[in-house]
Amino acid sequence: MSRSLTHVSSPAAEAHWIPLSDLMTGLMMMFLLIAVVYMVQIEAESRKMKEVAVLYDELRTKLYEDLSREFAADLDRWGAQISKENLTVRFKEPEVLFALGSSELKPRFKEILDDFFPRYVRILTSDKYRDSITELRIEGHTSSVWTSIVDPQQSYFLNMALSQERTRSTLQYVMSIPSLKGDIKWLEQFATANGLSFSKLVRTPDGREDRAASQRVEFRVVTDAERRIARILEAATR
C-alpha cells in the first residue's frame, strides 16, 4: 500500500517567508527610487550643460563679431588675426614683436598696442561683456629653437623664461598707456601674463613645426560660461 508524501508548510515557515518577500519588495523599491533620482539628476545636469553651452556659443559669437567689426581694417597691417573658436587675438609676425632672444618690445609693436589695446579693453569692459569676463590672458609663445642649445628640455625652460618675460613686459606696457588710467583696477583684477614656451607650437599642414608662426603673442578672453561648464563637469565626476 503506497502513501503519497505531501509537504505541509508549517505556520512558522509561512511566518518566515512573508517578511522576506516584503524585504525583497522593499529593496526593489529602494533601488528603483535611487535609479529615478539618479536619472533626474543626470537630466538636470544635462539641461544645465545645454543652457551653458548655448550661453557660451552666443557670447562667443557676439564677442567675435564685435572684435572683428572693430579691427577689420587693422588686422592685416598689424599682422594679426582673430580666432572665433577661442576668442584669441594673435599677433603672428615675430620680427615686429621682439628682437631675437629679447623681451623688450619693438617700437612697431608698441605702436600697434597703443592702437589696439584701448579699443580692445573698451569692448571687454562694455555693459554687454563686463560681467562675463573672468580673465584676460596675455600669452607668449616661442618656437622650440634656442641658439647653441642642443638639449630639448634645457631649450624648453629657457624659452619658458623668455616667453614669461615677454608677456610681463607686454602687460606692463599696455597698463602704462595713458588712455587706460581709468581701467587699471579692472586690468589688475583680470589681466594675466602667461609664458607658455613652445608647449603650443603652430604646425604646417604636414605636421612640421612652423617656427616663425610659433613665435607669437596672443590676447585671449576667458568667460564665465567656461568656468560654469568646468564646475558642472567637476560636479559630474564626483
Side-chain angles (χ1 to χ4, degrees):
M1 180 177 172
S2 64
R3 287 188 307 175
S4 99
L5 297 176
T6 304
H7 177 73
V8 179
S9 297
S10 68
E14 290 179 359
H16 171 75
W17 283 107
I18 292 174
L20 184 59
S21 64
D22 289 346
L23 176 62
M24 294 300 294
T25 302
L27 287 173
M28 290 178 62
M29 292 299 294
M30 184 176 68
F31 289 136
L32 180 60
L33 179 60
I34 292 172
V36 170
V37 170
Y38 179 74
M39 291 173 64
V40 169
Q41 289 178 336
I42 292 296
E43 184 178 353
E45 293 298 331
S46 177
R47 188 163 52 248
K48 286 182 184 177
M49 284 289 291
K50 290 178 181 177
E51 291 173 356
V52 174
V54 169
L55 173 65
Y56 174 68
D57 187 61
E58 290 177 351
L59 178 65
R60 180 181 59 183
T61 300
K62 290 177 181 176
L63 183 50
Y64 172 76
E65 290 173 351
D66 285 348
L67 292 173
S68 297
R69 189 180 303 111
E70 176 68 28
F71 300 118
D74 305 303
L75 294 175
D76 287 342
R77 65 186 180 88
W78 288 345
Q81 64 186 53
I82 302 175
S83 168
K84 184 177 182 180
E85 181 180 355
N86 57 13
L87 300 177
T88 294
V89 181
R90 173 184 295 179
F91 293 91
K92 55 190 178 70
E93 294 186 1
E95 66 277 5
V96 172
L97 307 176
F98 306 93
L100 183 64
S102 172
S103 61
E104 184 178 351
L105 280 67
K106 284 188 173 182
R108 175 57 182 154
F109 190 31
K110 290 181 179 179
E111 291 176 3
I112 292 172
L113 292 174
D114 287 341
D115 189 6
F116 159 73
F117 199 70
R119 294 156 63 190
Y120 184 59
V121 170
R122 187 179 70 243
I123 292 174
L124 300 184
T125 57
S126 66
D127 291 341
K128 187 189 287 189
Y129 302 114
R130 189 182 188 93
D131 293 337
S132 298
I133 304 299
T134 59
E135 186 180 4
L136 166 54
R137 294 175 59 89
I138 301 177
E139 297 183 345
H141 302 264
T142 69
S143 69
S144 63
V145 177
W146 189 272
T147 306
S148 76
I149 298 298
V150 178
D151 178 57
Q153 190 174 57
Q154 189 177 7
S155 176
Y156 174 79
F157 284 110
L158 287 169
N159 275 299
M160 176 66 75
L162 177 61
S163 62
Q164 288 175 336
E165 290 168 4
R166 286 177 169 177
T167 56
R168 186 170 61 250
S169 62
T170 300
L171 178 58
Q172 184 175 0
Y173 181 79
V174 297
M175 289 183 68
S176 71
I177 296 174
S179 61
L180 289 171
K181 275 188 176 181
D183 298 293
I184 291 300
K185 291 299 182 183
W186 186 88
L187 289 170
E188 287 176 348
Q189 183 176 357
F190 294 104
T192 62
N194 306 270
L196 300 176
S197 189
F198 53 81
S199 59
K200 296 185 179 181
L201 293 172
V202 175
R203 298 191 179 277
T204 61
D206 60 0
R208 292 179 299 168
E209 176 186 348
D210 187 330
R211 290 180 179 176
S214 294
Q215 301 171 58
R216 64 201 190 273
V217 173
E218 297 180 344
F219 293 78
R220 185 164 70 85
V221 174
V222 180
T223 68
D224 183 63
E226 291 170 308
R227 185 171 61 182
R228 289 167 63 184
I229 289 173
R231 285 176 180 172
I232 292 173
L233 291 175
E234 182 181 355
T237 57
R238 287 175 182 171

